[in-house]
Amino acid sequence: MKTGAAILIESLKEEGVEIIFGYPGGAVLPIYDELYDAELTHILVRHEQAAVHAADGYARASGRVGVCLSTSGPGACNLISGIATANMDSVPIVALTGQVPTGMLGNDAFQESDITGITLPITKHNYLVKDARDIKMTVKAAFYIAGTGRNGPVLIDLPKDVLTAKVAAEEVLSGEPELRGYKPTLKGHSKQIKKALELIYNAKKPVIYAGGGVIAAGASEEMVRLAELFCLPVTTTLMGLGAIPAVHPLNLGMLGMHGTEYANYAVSESDLLIAIGARFDDRVTGKLSHFATHAKIIHIDIDPAEIGKNVNPDVPIVGDAKSVLADMICLAEKKGCISEPWLEQVKLWRKNHPLRVVNDGKVHPQNIIRKLSELLDGGGIIVSEVGQNQMWTAQHYGFKKPRQWISSGGLGTMGYGFPAAIGAWFAKPDETVVVIAGDGSFQMNIQELATVAQYKVPVKIVILNNMYLGMVRQWQELFYDRRYSYTELPSVDFVGIAKAYGIQGMRVDSVDQIDEALRTALDYDGPYLLDFQIERGENVYPMVPAGAAISEMIGKHNHNGGSDT
């Protein structure tokens, strides 16, 4: 006879789970009792929200399903922001939550919450398990759903009496779960692929618009091969950074609200937009009626619900990006570069409208990001918080490969980056992991310094400290007549706080300290915190105001008298 909790642990191991990020509580004590002897690593975070973000970071860095665990009621509810984050960015995680005994469901029992009801709109699927015999099949189904098709979060709610119930081995249901109506389309339709190729052959101003779906599908190599086959300029979304190396001559950088000027101009002037694993979200398109108005659209996506949701494509292709692109390359006729004049125009935009940085002897965040990129040679795993720090990193770090850039895109969750960096390191312990944070966002999960200290996670923490909620302040400056309502933050001794947890750190006040400080942190054998005192009024440019077309940027190609780089 085995308890439900024992069956759960066995089932997780059968799915290849090696690590769980969690926080204990009364409803999940049977699981924690099994974990005491289990050959399975549990990382004790200091807040349930950190557990789900760490599982998310683990999944994005590794490509595997991340797992988090919390107790019922408030513990389960503390997972919600993280589950919604994973749902918006299509990240495969399985969230395990404890629940009150089945006989007390619906009675407003102590620490009861209807977590399956609460998370219904933000999960790919969720389960309330009422019979211990179903646990194994449920776990198997959850992992399959989370990691196939369009990836996403799945939640399994486990009442305490189900976890303590004893079941004979022969009574445990096993085999392949029946998932009616769930059959992801992986193979693109051959006629649609041929139509797409015809559009490419006839295009004069084509652009590839690559999203996070390219990275999730492992399709970066195929996407770059297609681009090189026809010399197609490539722009990416925030989630697509790393799909093509930053230094590749066809890479235009990021598109949209804080994209490069040349990417926004190229898409605005294009006559063919090849969208791959991207969803035409508002931060990319700006005013939708003014987005790529001259272009025919090819839209490749594994989720049929995304096709036509925001933009009606001329050629829709439902399928796995890796499979579809491989088929396109296989069927393509070798025509060489299809539009030399277009490439020359794009090069001219790039030359005349570069991202610029300021070299005036002050501490500017762009210089810090570029120096970090130089010291790591564009390598490592770079995790960001949300806000100005996120956009400066996205603009100025020279990403080389997929799964190297981890950030909350769709939901924009402050407090995400630090715990996600912890999860990323456990997925890739041989990589240098750096989290770029603002002073506001870092304080949202600052308690995870304790987790880093306990497990000696050698993550490097770079705080771009302007004593503001910077991005909100930027909007107040530009659109609310500089009325800085509740966005100024008091000075915090982050180095002192880090040292209280036994973590080394350094405060950086001058530009000539940047290089030495970054080298010290990167060379240090353990976690290290750098508190950069950056220019308080620095903004992220260029910027497309909300509701404007992406070609209508402010702060274009120069700010504060900056120079070309």
Side-chain angles (χ1 to χ4, degrees), residues 287-333:
K287 189 174 185 178
L288 196 56
S289 61
H290 286 57
F291 179 72
T293 52
H294 310 297
K296 290 184 180 298
I297 307 287
I298 299 168
H299 192 180
I300 302 167
D301 204 291
I302 198 167
D303 185 355
E306 286 298 336
I307 305 288
K309 187 177 80 176
N310 293 325
V311 171
N312 288 319
D314 297 275
V315 178
I317 304 176
V318 177
D320 176 75
K322 188 177 184 71
S323 169
V324 172
L325 292 174
D327 287 347
M328 289 181 75
I329 292 166
C330 187
L331 293 171
E333 298 173 23

mmCIF file of all heavy atoms in Angstrom, residues 287-333:
data_model
loop_
_atom_site.group_PDB
_atom_site.id
_atom_site.type_symbol
_atom_site.label_atom_id
_atom_site.label_comp_id
_atom_site.label_asym_id
_atom_site.label_seq_id
_atom_site.Cartn_x
_atom_site.Cartn_y
_atom_site.Cartn_z
ATOM 1 N N LYS A 287 -0.374 51.135 -32.790
ATOM 2 C CA LYS A 287 -1.723 51.287 -33.334
ATOM 3 C C LYS A 287 -1.931 50.249 -34.429
ATOM 4 O O LYS A 287 -1.304 50.319 -35.496
ATOM 5 C CB LYS A 287 -1.897 52.704 -33.884
ATOM 6 C CG LYS A 287 -3.330 53.033 -34.263
ATOM 7 C CD LYS A 287 -3.449 54.505 -34.653
ATOM 8 C CE LYS A 287 -4.910 54.875 -34.921
ATOM 9 N NZ LYS A 287 -5.030 56.314 -35.262
ATOM 10 N N LEU A 288 -2.794 49.296 -34.157
ATOM 11 C CA LEU A 288 -2.902 48.122 -35.026
ATOM 12 C C LEU A 288 -3.294 48.486 -36.457
ATOM 13 O O LEU A 288 -2.784 47.889 -37.414
ATOM 14 C CB LEU A 288 -3.922 47.145 -34.426
ATOM 15 C CG LEU A 288 -3.911 45.716 -34.963
ATOM 16 C CD1 LEU A 288 -2.533 45.083 -34.826
ATOM 17 C CD2 LEU A 288 -4.955 44.867 -34.242
ATOM 18 N N SER A 289 -4.160 49.472 -36.606
ATOM 19 C CA SER A 289 -4.608 49.837 -37.953
ATOM 20 C C SER A 289 -3.496 50.482 -38.779
ATOM 21 O O SER A 289 -3.613 50.612 -39.993
ATOM 22 C CB SER A 289 -5.801 50.795 -37.865
ATOM 23 O OG SER A 289 -5.428 51.987 -37.193
ATOM 24 N N HIS A 290 -2.392 50.884 -38.110
ATOM 25 C CA HIS A 290 -1.266 51.492 -38.811
ATOM 26 C C HIS A 290 -0.058 50.547 -38.866
ATOM 27 O O HIS A 290 1.037 50.969 -39.201
ATOM 28 C CB HIS A 290 -0.848 52.794 -38.128
ATOM 29 C CG HIS A 290 -1.798 53.933 -38.362
ATOM 30 N ND1 HIS A 290 -3.138 53.859 -38.040
ATOM 31 C CD2 HIS A 290 -1.619 55.169 -38.896
ATOM 32 C CE1 HIS A 290 -3.732 55.001 -38.351
ATOM 33 N NE2 HIS A 290 -2.834 55.807 -38.885
ATOM 34 N N PHE A 291 -0.254 49.284 -38.516
ATOM 35 C CA PHE A 291 0.873 48.346 -38.429
ATOM 36 C C PHE A 291 1.057 47.619 -39.759
ATOM 37 O O PHE A 291 0.133 46.958 -40.244
ATOM 38 C CB PHE A 291 0.617 47.323 -37.319
ATOM 39 C CG PHE A 291 1.719 46.296 -37.169
ATOM 40 C CD1 PHE A 291 2.948 46.661 -36.630
ATOM 41 C CD2 PHE A 291 1.525 44.987 -37.571
ATOM 42 C CE1 PHE A 291 3.960 45.725 -36.482
ATOM 43 C CE2 PHE A 291 2.524 44.044 -37.421
ATOM 44 C CZ PHE A 291 3.752 44.407 -36.878
ATOM 45 N N ALA A 292 2.236 47.756 -40.329
ATOM 46 C CA ALA A 292 2.617 47.024 -41.549
ATOM 47 C C ALA A 292 1.503 47.086 -42.594
ATOM 48 O O ALA A 292 1.105 46.064 -43.160
ATOM 49 C CB ALA A 292 2.952 45.582 -41.205
ATOM 50 N N THR A 293 1.059 48.296 -42.860
ATOM 51 C CA THR A 293 -0.120 48.468 -43.715
ATOM 52 C C THR A 293 0.136 48.096 -45.178
ATOM 53 O O THR A 293 -0.813 47.851 -45.925
ATOM 54 C CB THR A 293 -0.610 49.927 -43.660
ATOM 55 O OG1 THR A 293 0.505 50.796 -43.933
ATOM 56 C CG2 THR A 293 -1.177 50.249 -42.302
ATOM 57 N N HIS A 294 1.403 48.075 -45.593
ATOM 58 C CA HIS A 294 1.703 47.750 -46.987
ATOM 59 C C HIS A 294 1.996 46.261 -47.175
ATOM 60 O O HIS A 294 2.248 45.829 -48.303
ATOM 61 C CB HIS A 294 2.937 48.536 -47.460
ATOM 62 C CG HIS A 294 2.865 49.999 -47.154
ATOM 63 N ND1 HIS A 294 1.911 50.824 -47.694
ATOM 64 C CD2 HIS A 294 3.630 50.792 -46.343
ATOM 65 C CE1 HIS A 294 2.088 52.058 -47.255
ATOM 66 N NE2 HIS A 294 3.110 52.061 -46.418
ATOM 67 N N ALA A 295 1.989 45.507 -46.089
ATOM 68 C CA ALA A 295 2.521 44.137 -46.153
ATOM 69 C C ALA A 295 1.440 43.072 -46.248
ATOM 70 O O ALA A 295 0.379 43.172 -45.617
ATOM 71 C CB ALA A 295 3.378 43.872 -44.907
ATOM 72 N N LYS A 296 1.747 42.057 -47.063
ATOM 73 C CA LYS A 296 1.015 40.807 -46.942
ATOM 74 C C LYS A 296 1.587 40.078 -45.727
ATOM 75 O O LYS A 296 2.757 40.279 -45.356
ATOM 76 C CB LYS A 296 1.178 39.964 -48.208
ATOM 77 C CG LYS A 296 0.465 40.539 -49.436
ATOM 78 C CD LYS A 296 0.586 39.608 -50.628
ATOM 79 C CE LYS A 296 -0.128 40.181 -51.845
ATOM 80 N NZ LYS A 296 -1.598 40.354 -51.636
ATOM 81 N N ILE A 297 0.773 39.239 -45.118
ATOM 82 C CA ILE A 297 1.173 38.598 -43.865
ATOM 83 C C ILE A 297 1.186 37.080 -44.019
ATOM 84 O O ILE A 297 0.198 36.489 -44.460
ATOM 85 C CB ILE A 297 0.210 38.965 -42.703
ATOM 86 C CG1 ILE A 297 0.051 40.483 -42.567
ATOM 87 C CG2 ILE A 297 0.663 38.311 -41.403
ATOM 88 C CD1 ILE A 297 1.216 41.207 -41.997
ATOM 89 N N ILE A 298 2.310 36.471 -43.634
ATOM 90 C CA ILE A 298 2.374 35.019 -43.423
ATOM 91 C C ILE A 298 2.458 34.823 -41.913
ATOM 92 O O ILE A 298 3.323 35.423 -41.260
ATOM 93 C CB ILE A 298 3.620 34.405 -44.096
ATOM 94 C CG1 ILE A 298 3.604 34.635 -45.604
ATOM 95 C CG2 ILE A 298 3.723 32.918 -43.765
ATOM 96 C CD1 ILE A 298 4.919 34.309 -46.286
ATOM 97 N N HIS A 299 1.579 34.035 -41.365
ATOM 98 C CA HIS A 299 1.597 33.819 -39.912
ATOM 99 C C HIS A 299 1.741 32.339 -39.618
ATOM 100 O O HIS A 299 0.850 31.531 -39.924
ATOM 101 C CB HIS A 299 0.315 34.353 -39.255
ATOM 102 C CG HIS A 299 0.399 34.423 -37.750
ATOM 103 N ND1 HIS A 299 -0.633 34.874 -36.960
ATOM 104 C CD2 HIS A 299 1.407 34.110 -36.890
ATOM 105 C CE1 HIS A 299 -0.261 34.829 -35.690
ATOM 106 N NE2 HIS A 299 0.967 34.351 -35.618
ATOM 107 N N ILE A 300 2.877 31.974 -39.006
ATOM 108 C CA ILE A 300 3.160 30.585 -38.619
ATOM 109 C C ILE A 300 3.042 30.490 -37.104
ATOM 110 O O ILE A 300 3.756 31.182 -36.369
ATOM 111 C CB ILE A 300 4.585 30.185 -39.057
ATOM 112 C CG1 ILE A 300 4.747 30.345 -40.567
ATOM 113 C CG2 ILE A 300 4.891 28.757 -38.610
ATOM 114 C CD1 ILE A 300 6.189 30.280 -41.044
ATOM 115 N N ASP A 301 2.150 29.634 -36.613
ATOM 116 C CA ASP A 301 1.979 29.506 -35.167
ATOM 117 C C ASP A 301 1.384 28.145 -34.844
ATOM 118 O O ASP A 301 0.533 27.636 -35.588
ATOM 119 C CB ASP A 301 1.067 30.610 -34.620
ATOM 120 C CG ASP A 301 1.326 30.880 -33.146
ATOM 121 O OD1 ASP A 301 1.008 30.001 -32.314
ATOM 122 O OD2 ASP A 301 1.875 31.958 -32.838
ATOM 123 N N ILE A 302 1.809 27.578 -33.742
ATOM 124 C CA ILE A 302 1.300 26.264 -33.346
ATOM 125 C C ILE A 302 -0.095 26.351 -32.736
ATOM 126 O O ILE A 302 -0.825 25.357 -32.678
ATOM 127 C CB ILE A 302 2.275 25.582 -32.358
ATOM 128 C CG1 ILE A 302 1.994 24.075 -32.294
ATOM 129 C CG2 ILE A 302 2.217 26.235 -30.978
ATOM 130 C CD1 ILE A 302 3.068 23.292 -31.624
ATOM 131 N N ASP A 303 -0.476 27.549 -32.306
ATOM 132 C CA ASP A 303 -1.782 27.729 -31.677
ATOM 133 C C ASP A 303 -2.765 28.314 -32.689
ATOM 134 O O ASP A 303 -2.664 29.492 -33.042
ATOM 135 C CB ASP A 303 -1.648 28.665 -30.471
ATOM 136 C CG ASP A 303 -2.949 28.808 -29.689
ATOM 137 O OD1 ASP A 303 -3.967 28.248 -30.155
ATOM 138 O OD2 ASP A 303 -2.947 29.472 -28.642
ATOM 139 N N PRO A 304 -3.737 27.552 -33.159
ATOM 140 C CA PRO A 304 -4.668 28.084 -34.153
ATOM 141 C C PRO A 304 -5.473 29.271 -33.644
ATOM 142 O O PRO A 304 -5.937 30.094 -34.440
ATOM 143 C CB PRO A 304 -5.582 26.882 -34.458
ATOM 144 C CG PRO A 304 -5.404 25.940 -33.327
ATOM 145 C CD PRO A 304 -4.013 26.145 -32.833
ATOM 146 N N ALA A 305 -5.608 29.392 -32.319
ATOM 147 C CA ALA A 305 -6.350 30.522 -31.757
ATOM 148 C C ALA A 305 -5.638 31.848 -31.988
ATOM 149 O O ALA A 305 -6.259 32.911 -31.932
ATOM 150 C CB ALA A 305 -6.579 30.311 -30.262
ATOM 151 N N GLU A 306 -4.324 31.813 -32.233
ATOM 152 C CA GLU A 306 -3.581 33.050 -32.476
ATOM 153 C C GLU A 306 -3.742 33.544 -33.907
ATOM 154 O O GLU A 306 -3.543 34.725 -34.183
ATOM 155 C CB GLU A 306 -2.088 32.850 -32.181
ATOM 156 C CG GLU A 306 -1.747 32.784 -30.705
ATOM 157 C CD GLU A 306 -2.090 34.067 -29.976
ATOM 158 O OE1 GLU A 306 -2.154 35.122 -30.620
ATOM 159 O OE2 GLU A 306 -2.322 34.007 -28.753
ATOM 160 N N ILE A 307 -4.074 32.632 -34.808
ATOM 161 C CA ILE A 307 -4.208 33.003 -36.216
ATOM 162 C C ILE A 307 -5.463 33.862 -36.397
ATOM 163 O O ILE A 307 -6.580 33.414 -36.133
ATOM 164 C CB ILE A 307 -4.296 31.750 -37.123
ATOM 165 C CG1 ILE A 307 -3.099 30.824 -36.900
ATOM 166 C CG2 ILE A 307 -4.436 32.182 -38.589
ATOM 167 C CD1 ILE A 307 -1.789 31.300 -37.443
ATOM 168 N N GLY A 308 -5.282 35.081 -36.846
ATOM 169 C CA GLY A 308 -6.417 35.970 -37.075
ATOM 170 C C GLY A 308 -6.932 36.652 -35.833
ATOM 171 O O GLY A 308 -7.915 37.398 -35.907
ATOM 172 N N LYS A 309 -6.317 36.429 -34.665
ATOM 173 C CA LYS A 309 -6.814 37.053 -33.423
ATOM 174 C C LYS A 309 -6.649 38.571 -33.473
ATOM 175 O O LYS A 309 -7.584 39.304 -33.161
ATOM 176 C CB LYS A 309 -6.071 36.487 -32.218
ATOM 177 C CG LYS A 309 -6.643 36.950 -30.887
ATOM 178 C CD LYS A 309 -5.918 36.315 -29.718
ATOM 179 C CE LYS A 309 -4.602 37.011 -29.432
ATOM 180 N NZ LYS A 309 -3.919 36.485 -28.251
ATOM 181 N N ASN A 310 -5.459 39.030 -33.858
ATOM 182 C CA ASN A 310 -5.205 40.470 -33.947
ATOM 183 C C ASN A 310 -5.035 40.949 -35.386
ATOM 184 O O ASN A 310 -5.375 42.078 -35.707
ATOM 185 C CB ASN A 310 -3.953 40.835 -33.140
ATOM 186 C CG ASN A 310 -4.153 40.632 -31.649
ATOM 187 O OD1 ASN A 310 -5.242 40.845 -31.117
ATOM 188 N ND2 ASN A 310 -3.109 40.180 -30.973
ATOM 189 N N VAL A 311 -4.461 40.096 -36.232
ATOM 190 C CA VAL A 311 -4.193 40.453 -37.623
ATOM 191 C C VAL A 311 -4.627 39.292 -38.510
ATOM 192 O O VAL A 311 -4.304 38.138 -38.218
ATOM 193 C CB VAL A 311 -2.683 40.725 -37.833
ATOM 194 C CG1 VAL A 311 -2.359 40.885 -39.310
ATOM 195 C CG2 VAL A 311 -2.252 41.960 -37.050
ATOM 196 N N ASN A 312 -5.338 39.604 -39.565
ATOM 197 C CA ASN A 312 -5.757 38.546 -40.496
ATOM 198 C C ASN A 312 -4.652 38.286 -41.512
ATOM 199 O O ASN A 312 -4.335 39.158 -42.327
ATOM 200 C CB ASN A 312 -7.038 38.956 -41.229
ATOM 201 C CG ASN A 312 -8.238 38.921 -40.315
ATOM 202 O OD1 ASN A 312 -8.377 38.009 -39.500
ATOM 203 N ND2 ASN A 312 -9.109 39.912 -40.437
ATOM 204 N N PRO A 313 -4.058 37.110 -41.482
ATOM 205 C CA PRO A 313 -2.944 36.835 -42.395
ATOM 206 C C PRO A 313 -3.434 36.471 -43.794
ATOM 207 O O PRO A 313 -4.551 35.982 -43.970
ATOM 208 C CB PRO A 313 -2.258 35.638 -41.742
ATOM 209 C CG PRO A 313 -3.354 34.925 -41.025
ATOM 210 C CD PRO A 313 -4.314 35.988 -40.571
ATOM 211 N N ASP A 314 -2.575 36.701 -44.784
ATOM 212 C CA ASP A 314 -2.861 36.257 -46.147
ATOM 213 C C ASP A 314 -2.596 34.763 -46.278
ATOM 214 O O ASP A 314 -3.278 34.075 -47.023
ATOM 215 C CB ASP A 314 -1.998 37.031 -47.138
ATOM 216 C CG ASP A 314 -2.325 38.513 -47.119
ATOM 217 O OD1 ASP A 314 -3.270 38.924 -47.820
ATOM 218 O OD2 ASP A 314 -1.662 39.251 -46.369
ATOM 219 N N VAL A 315 -1.567 34.284 -45.564
ATOM 220 C CA VAL A 315 -1.273 32.852 -45.564
ATOM 221 C C VAL A 315 -1.095 32.393 -44.118
ATOM 222 O O VAL A 315 -0.039 32.614 -43.514
ATOM 223 C CB VAL A 315 0.001 32.532 -46.377
ATOM 224 C CG1 VAL A 315 0.305 31.030 -46.315
ATOM 225 C CG2 VAL A 315 -0.153 32.982 -47.815
ATOM 226 N N PRO A 316 -2.102 31.769 -43.541
ATOM 227 C CA PRO A 316 -1.942 31.207 -42.198
ATOM 228 C C PRO A 316 -1.368 29.793 -42.273
ATOM 229 O O PRO A 316 -1.762 29.009 -43.143
ATOM 230 C CB PRO A 316 -3.386 31.166 -41.675
ATOM 231 C CG PRO A 316 -4.226 31.017 -42.907
ATOM 232 C CD PRO A 316 -3.491 31.675 -44.036
ATOM 233 N N ILE A 317 -0.437 29.498 -41.377
ATOM 234 C CA ILE A 317 0.115 28.136 -41.307
ATOM 235 C C ILE A 317 0.123 27.711 -39.844
ATOM 236 O O ILE A 317 0.874 28.263 -39.029
ATOM 237 C CB ILE A 317 1.546 28.062 -41.867
ATOM 238 C CG1 ILE A 317 1.587 28.589 -43.303
ATOM 239 C CG2 ILE A 317 2.054 26.617 -41.820
ATOM 240 C CD1 ILE A 317 2.988 28.634 -43.899
ATOM 241 N N VAL A 318 -0.709 26.744 -39.517
ATOM 242 C CA VAL A 318 -0.755 26.209 -38.162
ATOM 243 C C VAL A 318 0.219 25.043 -38.082
ATOM 244 O O VAL A 318 0.118 24.084 -38.869
ATOM 245 C CB VAL A 318 -2.172 25.739 -37.782
ATOM 246 C CG1 VAL A 318 -2.174 25.107 -36.390
ATOM 247 C CG2 VAL A 318 -3.140 26.907 -37.833
ATOM 248 N N GLY A 319 1.151 25.129 -37.151
ATOM 249 C CA GLY A 319 2.096 24.029 -36.997
ATOM 250 C C GLY A 319 3.272 24.432 -36.131
ATOM 251 O O GLY A 319 3.446 25.607 -35.775
ATOM 252 N N ASP A 320 4.079 23.452 -35.788
ATOM 253 C CA ASP A 320 5.291 23.678 -35.010
ATOM 254 C C ASP A 320 6.295 24.433 -35.878
ATOM 255 O O ASP A 320 6.578 24.028 -37.017
ATOM 256 C CB ASP A 320 5.859 22.326 -34.574
ATOM 257 C CG ASP A 320 7.171 22.470 -33.857
ATOM 258 O OD1 ASP A 320 7.145 22.881 -32.699
ATOM 259 O OD2 ASP A 320 8.213 22.180 -34.480
ATOM 260 N N ALA A 321 6.844 25.522 -35.369
ATOM 261 C CA ALA A 321 7.713 26.385 -36.178
ATOM 262 C C ALA A 321 8.902 25.620 -36.744
ATOM 263 O O ALA A 321 9.294 25.828 -37.900
ATOM 264 C CB ALA A 321 8.187 27.571 -35.336
ATOM 265 N N LYS A 322 9.470 24.727 -35.961
ATOM 266 C CA LYS A 322 10.642 23.970 -36.428
ATOM 267 C C LYS A 322 10.275 23.093 -37.622
ATOM 268 O O LYS A 322 10.995 23.044 -38.624
ATOM 269 C CB LYS A 322 11.183 23.108 -35.284
ATOM 270 C CG LYS A 322 12.508 22.426 -35.589
ATOM 271 C CD LYS A 322 12.990 21.651 -34.379
ATOM 272 C CE LYS A 322 14.360 21.028 -34.622
ATOM 273 N NZ LYS A 322 15.439 22.038 -34.668
ATOM 274 N N SER A 323 9.134 22.431 -37.522
ATOM 275 C CA SER A 323 8.678 21.564 -38.604
ATOM 276 C C SER A 323 8.308 22.375 -39.846
ATOM 277 O O SER A 323 8.711 22.033 -40.969
ATOM 278 C CB SER A 323 7.461 20.751 -38.121
ATOM 279 O OG SER A 323 6.849 20.090 -39.201
ATOM 280 N N VAL A 324 7.574 23.464 -39.655
ATOM 281 C CA VAL A 324 7.132 24.271 -40.795
ATOM 282 C C VAL A 324 8.328 24.890 -41.517
ATOM 283 O O VAL A 324 8.424 24.848 -42.752
ATOM 284 C CB VAL A 324 6.162 25.376 -40.324
ATOM 285 C CG1 VAL A 324 5.857 26.339 -41.468
ATOM 286 C CG2 VAL A 324 4.875 24.761 -39.787
ATOM 287 N N LEU A 325 9.263 25.450 -40.757
ATOM 288 C CA LEU A 325 10.424 26.086 -41.385
ATOM 289 C C LEU A 325 11.305 25.064 -42.089
ATOM 290 O O LEU A 325 11.855 25.334 -43.168
ATOM 291 C CB LEU A 325 11.222 26.856 -40.337
ATOM 292 C CG LEU A 325 10.522 28.090 -39.759
ATOM 293 C CD1 LEU A 325 11.348 28.700 -38.626
ATOM 294 C CD2 LEU A 325 10.287 29.136 -40.843
ATOM 295 N N ALA A 326 11.439 23.884 -41.493
ATOM 296 C CA ALA A 326 12.219 22.823 -42.152
ATOM 297 C C ALA A 326 11.575 22.450 -43.483
ATOM 298 O O ALA A 326 12.274 22.254 -44.496
ATOM 299 C CB ALA A 326 12.323 21.605 -41.234
ATOM 300 N N ASP A 327 10.251 22.358 -43.506
ATOM 301 C CA ASP A 327 9.546 22.046 -44.758
ATOM 302 C C ASP A 327 9.715 23.180 -45.775
ATOM 303 O O ASP A 327 9.879 22.918 -46.976
ATOM 304 C CB ASP A 327 8.060 21.811 -44.480
ATOM 305 C CG ASP A 327 7.805 20.485 -43.775
ATOM 306 O OD1 ASP A 327 8.743 19.653 -43.725
ATOM 307 O OD2 ASP A 327 6.690 20.285 -43.265
ATOM 308 N N MET A 328 9.662 24.414 -45.309
ATOM 309 C CA MET A 328 9.844 25.550 -46.226
ATOM 310 C C MET A 328 11.232 25.521 -46.858
ATOM 311 O O MET A 328 11.393 25.718 -48.072
ATOM 312 C CB MET A 328 9.631 26.878 -45.477
ATOM 313 C CG MET A 328 8.190 27.154 -45.103
ATOM 314 S SD MET A 328 7.965 28.742 -44.245
ATOM 315 C CE MET A 328 8.136 29.874 -45.624
ATOM 316 N N ILE A 329 12.232 25.261 -46.036
ATOM 317 C CA ILE A 329 13.614 25.222 -46.549
ATOM 318 C C ILE A 329 13.772 24.077 -47.546
ATOM 319 O O ILE A 329 14.420 24.216 -48.587
ATOM 320 C CB ILE A 329 14.600 25.071 -45.365
ATOM 321 C CG1 ILE A 329 14.577 26.349 -44.518
ATOM 322 C CG2 ILE A 329 16.002 24.760 -45.867
ATOM 323 C CD1 ILE A 329 15.234 26.191 -43.166
ATOM 324 N N CYS A 330 13.137 22.953 -47.236
ATOM 325 C CA CYS A 330 13.233 21.771 -48.106
ATOM 326 C C CYS A 330 12.598 22.039 -49.470
ATOM 327 O O CYS A 330 13.110 21.595 -50.509
ATOM 328 C CB CYS A 330 12.564 20.591 -47.407
ATOM 329 S SG CYS A 330 12.800 19.032 -48.270
ATOM 330 N N LEU A 331 11.483 22.770 -49.474
ATOM 331 C CA LEU A 331 10.749 23.023 -50.720
ATOM 332 C C LEU A 331 11.236 24.257 -51.472
ATOM 333 O O LEU A 331 10.888 24.460 -52.639
ATOM 334 C CB LEU A 331 9.250 23.197 -50.407
ATOM 335 C CG LEU A 331 8.520 21.945 -49.905
ATOM 336 C CD1 LEU A 331 7.117 22.320 -49.438
ATOM 337 C CD2 LEU A 331 8.457 20.885 -50.995
ATOM 338 N N ALA A 332 12.047 25.073 -50.822
ATOM 339 C CA ALA A 332 12.415 26.360 -51.415
ATOM 340 C C ALA A 332 13.328 26.189 -52.625
ATOM 341 O O ALA A 332 14.222 25.331 -52.636
ATOM 342 C CB ALA A 332 13.108 27.233 -50.367
ATOM 343 N N GLU A 333 13.062 27.000 -53.617
ATOM 344 C CA GLU A 333 13.978 27.073 -54.763
ATOM 345 C C GLU A 333 15.047 28.103 -54.427
ATOM 346 O O GLU A 333 14.753 29.177 -53.925
ATOM 347 C CB GLU A 333 13.205 27.506 -56.013
ATOM 348 C CG GLU A 333 12.115 26.540 -56.420
ATOM 349 C CD GLU A 333 11.282 27.102 -57.561
ATOM 350 O OE1 GLU A 333 11.798 27.981 -58.293
ATOM 351 O OE2 GLU A 333 10.135 26.678 -57.714
#
